[in-house]
Amino acid sequence: MIRKIKRVVRGEAGVDGAGVHLTHVLSRHTMHDTDPLLLLDAFDATDPADYVAGFPMHPHRGIETISYVVEGTMVHRDSLGNEDAVNGGGIQWMTAGSGILHEEKLPPVERLFGVQLWLNMKKEDKFAPPAYVAVPSQSIPEIPFDGGHVRILAGSYKGHEGHLSRYVPVDYYDVHIEPGCAFQTEVSEKVNATLFALVGSPTVGGERVEHFHAAILEGGDEIRIVNDTDEEISVLLFMAEPMDEPIVWWPGPIVMNTEEELKEAYDEIKAGTFIKDKIAMSRE
């Protein structure tokens, strides 16, 4: 049975960091339907004034962040001593775990275009050692199908593997579909599936999903995405089993299971004890 759309989520313009203009799509109002996917922010700008302020150094705990830089450059620096740039087509995967400080600089480019996701971590893993890995575009597998190709940003597809999360098994694809064609894949009924219209407007279950909107799917053991337009489209597809754990998340970059844990994290930030043994962690 083909999955249908349970809910379409419209992206809304916003400003974050030190003044970065972006589109907020998934967040606290969708987190239970998309569990373990917490947040999806998208950005598409040709005016550097909309993003060069970047995201100054700030804390994260209890989540993993996945940044997909479709076009442009994102420079990452963190409290583990990592510093590098990911360019068009690459991804950055940061495990916050017990706590990490990081910043994202966005140098002027012709076009800055991409998406950042926040992936929840299970209660048992929220204090895991923080870590960071970058996957350049040339290392991301691209698997053809009849009418397009799949970029495996994370997980696996038809026996091919992309980056594998150490803590949360997820399949995260960038699906390119040619005009008049469709993509179809089997999916376990146990997983939550969410898609985002990155380029163009796909049709799912007879319902069109407009550009920069997300669709939360339900029911069925197959997903079918149709391109009935006259341009190639690109759809981000995210699939993972829900954690079904309490989610406590104030507006901010820390996600825990209880109010007490959240308060403790912010108290540690104020006290300067948020970051644990960073030398030991960086060696893990």
Side-chain angles (χ1 to χ4, degrees):
M1 180 182 293
I2 304 294
R3 289 204 176 191
K4 302 292 186 181
I5 292 178
K6 174 182 181 180
R7 179 181 177 188
V8 171
V9 184
R10 179 179 181 177
E12 296 185 358
V15 179
D16 211 335
V20 178
H21 293 254
L22 42 72
T23 301
H24 298 298
V25 186
L26 305 177
S27 189
R28 296 169 70 218
H29 64 293
T30 56
M31 63 186 183
H32 294 294
D33 283 340
T34 60
D35 177 21
L37 175 57
L38 295 172
L39 174 146
L40 189 157
D41 282 344
F43 44 91
D44 188 4
T46 55
D47 183 354
D50 288 338
Y51 59 81
V52 290
F55 298 89
M57 195 67 73
H58 58 281
H60 282 274
R61 175 177 285 176
I63 60 174
E64 297 189 277
T65 64
I66 312 167
S67 301
Y68 181 29
V69 184
V70 182
E71 293 185 39
T73 298
M74 180 178 289
V75 180
H76 167 98
R77 185 169 71 91
D78 64 41
S79 52
L80 296 178
N82 298 302
E83 182 170 0
D84 78 335
V86 168
N87 300 305
I91 62 171
Q92 296 175 326
W93 192 295
M94 188 181 77
T95 301
S98 63
I100 194 169
L101 300 176
H102 84 128
E103 69 175 10
E104 292 151 317
K105 294 182 178 180
L106 304 170
V109 291
E110 185 174 336
R111 183 188 187 191
L112 181 68
F113 178 37
V115 173
Q116 184 175 92
L117 306 183
W118 287 11
L119 176 63
N120 201 8
M121 297 179 74
K122 293 181 180 179
K123 180 178 178 63
E124 64 194 49
D125 297 324
K126 283 191 179 290
F127 282 87
Y132 170 81
V133 62
V135 184
S137 180
Q138 61 268 26
S139 297
I140 294 175
E142 294 190 3
I143 313 304
F145 63 89
D146 186 14
H149 67 273
V150 175
R151 304 193 81 225
I152 309 175
L153 306 181
S156 61
Y157 172 73
K158 293 191 178 300
H160 301 271
E161 288 188 346
H163 178 78
L164 300 178
S165 169
R166 179 177 175 182
Y167 299 102
V168 185
V170 301
D171 290 320
Y172 179 28
Y173 308 150
D174 179 5
V175 184
H176 293 248
I177 309 174
E178 298 169 5
C181 298
F183 168 78
Q184 189 160 325
T185 188
E186 295 181 355
V187 60
S188 167
E189 294 185 359
K190 296 180 180 180
V191 309
N192 283 341
T194 305
L195 61 84
F196 176 68
L198 182 67
V199 177
S201 301
T203 297
V204 181
E207 185 174 351
R208 186 175 298 281
V209 182
E210 298 297 335
H211 172 62
F212 263 36
H213 291 193
I216 302 168
L217 309 182
E218 66 177 350
D221 55 7
E222 288 187 294
I223 293 174
R224 181 176 173 82
I225 306 170
V226 178
N227 180 6
D228 53 10
T229 74
D230 56 5
E231 301 286 344
E232 180 178 300
I233 65 173
S234 170
V235 179
L236 300 183
L237 178 60
F238 184 94
M239 298 173 288
E241 289 193 25
M243 294 177 181
D244 292 325
E245 293 184 349
I247 303 172
V248 180
W249 175 17
W250 297 341
I254 296 171
V255 182
M256 304 304 290
N257 297 106
T258 68
E259 292 284 352
E260 291 75 16
E261 291 170 336
L262 200 61
K263 182 179 183 302
E264 179 181 357
Y266 283 103
D267 286 346
E268 288 179 358
I269 292 171
K270 293 178 182 177
T273 58
F274 181 76
I275 298 298
K276 307 308 177 186
D277 187 348
K278 67 178 182 179
I279 296 176
M281 290 177 182
S282 65
R283 292 173 178 169
E284 296 258 346

